[in-house]
Amino acid sequence: MMRLGLLGFPLEHSLSPVLHEAALQTAGLQGSYSLHPVRPGNTGALGNLVNCVRSGELTGLNVTIPHKQAVLPLLDVLTPSAERIGAVNTIYSRGRQVIGDNTDAPGFLADLERFAPGPASALVLGAGGAAAAVAYALWASNCRVTLAARRVEEAGQLARRFPGTKVVSMDVEELARTDAEVIVNATPVGMFPNVDENAWPDHLPFPVGAAIYDLVYNPAETRLVRTARAAGLRAITGLGMLVEQAVLAFEIWTGYTVPRAVLLRALTQGTL
Ligand code: NAP
């Protein structure tokens, strides 16, 4: 019996139950994927859930905003990538130890590999949790990374985790100077309901030939993706990353690799 779930707040609009219930069904496994909404700062509730994973009462948990960093001190072991990123999205136990991993980074890379493999340079917009996972994934595959953030000091702290990573402010003048092969939006700009917002300044041309990867996946075509395509560039949303990170988490918990097409179908037949 696989007892899986999601820890975060708020959770009403999460697509993870659709993904993992489809995965359980495809794998022919008995189990459930439940939501555990825990308000920020409620460390007692976080500790109780981690202990449920330790005791085996829960097989594993996904972790999302705002607990990806808050949960770190409660875990026994971090995978090297989760430690470097400074955030986890998947926890599980081995023996009595609770382990934290981050499948956002390899999930992003797996999707990028299909879309724009092996970029030499990338500009990442944002410096939060998703930007950390993306920057790590790119940096670890020898890509030159620049972070563009409105709070450059915070971005500087993140960049120090990945030697050689540069930081620029999000001013139009700075963005205009980039010649990155890939631009990744790792901010929530353009996400439903703010679908008219564009993560890239409206009248600023994109770098010639750049590929645009928007981590936002709701709406199905973000304004960033639409304007990039209209400019003749290749552009995709983060739906593929969402699926890949779920495939990897499910594999960690169950040992079963679900075909990504099954999860994509579950999403398109569901809410999106
Ligand atoms: P987060 O930790 O809150 O970080 C958000 C970052 O975006 C921060 O650096 C923030 O800067 C910046 N930002 C927010 N609003 C901005 C604005 N109006 N202009 C410029 N910068 C802005 O959030 P996160 O967890 O990194 O998630 C970011 C996005 O990625 C969300 O939309 C999330 O749904 C998406 N995501 C997708 C996947 C996937 O599988 N496709 C996985 C993870 C995340 P400040 O610090 O200055 O506020």
Side-chain angles (χ1 to χ4, degrees):
M1 185 74 183
M2 296 289 155
R3 290 194 185 81
L4 310 173
L6 175 63
L7 164 61
F9 193 88
L11 295 178
E12 291 87 29
H13 301 295
S14 172
L15 296 174
S16 293
V18 174
L19 290 170
H20 289 286
E21 278 155 17
L24 283 166
Q25 207 178 353
T26 306
L29 294 170
Q30 292 270 317
S32 59
Y33 188 93
S34 24
L35 298 179
H36 303 278
V38 172
R39 285 183 187 276
N42 190 346
T43 315
L46 290 187
N48 287 341
L49 282 163
V50 170
N51 281 334
C52 288
V53 176
R54 185 175 284 109
S55 68
E57 200 179 317
L58 288 173
T59 312
L61 287 173
N62 278 139
V63 185
T64 188
I65 291 175
H67 300 309
K68 284 185 176 186
Q69 282 126 357
V71 80
L72 295 180
L74 304 170
L75 306 175
D76 303 313
V77 181
L78 294 181
T79 60
S81 58
E83 180 142 31
R84 178 74 79 146
I85 293 164
V88 300
N89 76 333
T90 303
I91 66 178
Y92 58 100
S93 68
R94 292 285 181 270
R96 296 284 293 176
Q97 290 205 308
V98 184
I99 302 167
D101 201 350
N102 189 312
T103 67
D104 280 336
F108 165 74
L109 207 56
D111 201 41
L112 186 73
E113 276 299 305
R114 264 186 297 272
F115 171 63
S121 58
L123 179 73
V124 178
L125 309 177
V134 164
Y136 168 78
L138 291 163
W139 171 81
S141 42
N142 295 320
C143 174
R144 271 183 291 113
V145 179
T146 302
L147 300 173
R150 54 184 180 184
R151 292 194 294 144
V152 284
E153 235 171 73
E154 187 204 32
Q157 280 175 19
L158 177 59
R160 278 193 283 283
R161 292 170 179 263
F162 315 122
T165 298
K166 291 195 186 126
V167 174
V168 295
S169 77
M170 246 189 212
D171 300 339
V172 176
E173 300 75 39
E174 289 279 12
L175 297 179
R177 273 195 274 274
T178 187
D179 59 355
E181 289 177 19
V182 171
I183 296 176
V184 183
N185 175 35
T187 77
V189 178
M191 188 166 76
F192 180 84
N194 302 313
V195 296
D196 289 330
E197 292 179 358
N198 195 342
W200 188 258
D202 262 332
H203 300 293
L204 181 66
F206 293 99
V208 177
I212 311 298
Y213 194 109
D214 193 347
L215 255 57
V216 175
Y217 49 79
N218 185 8
E221 189 183 54
T222 59
R223 176 147 181 188
L224 171 62
V225 167
R226 197 164 56 248
T227 51
R229 286 175 179 163
L233 300 180
R234 287 173 312 125
I236 54 168
T237 70
L239 198 65
M241 171 179 171
L242 181 75
V243 165
E244 295 289 354
Q245 62 76 32
V247 167
L248 292 169
F250 194 79
E251 198 174 80
I252 288 170
W253 295 324
T254 68
Y256 191 97
T257 308
V258 187
R260 67 190 299 276
V262 169
L263 298 194
L264 268 176
R265 200 162 47 239
L267 282 180
T268 43
Q269 284 168 355
T271 35
L272 283 179

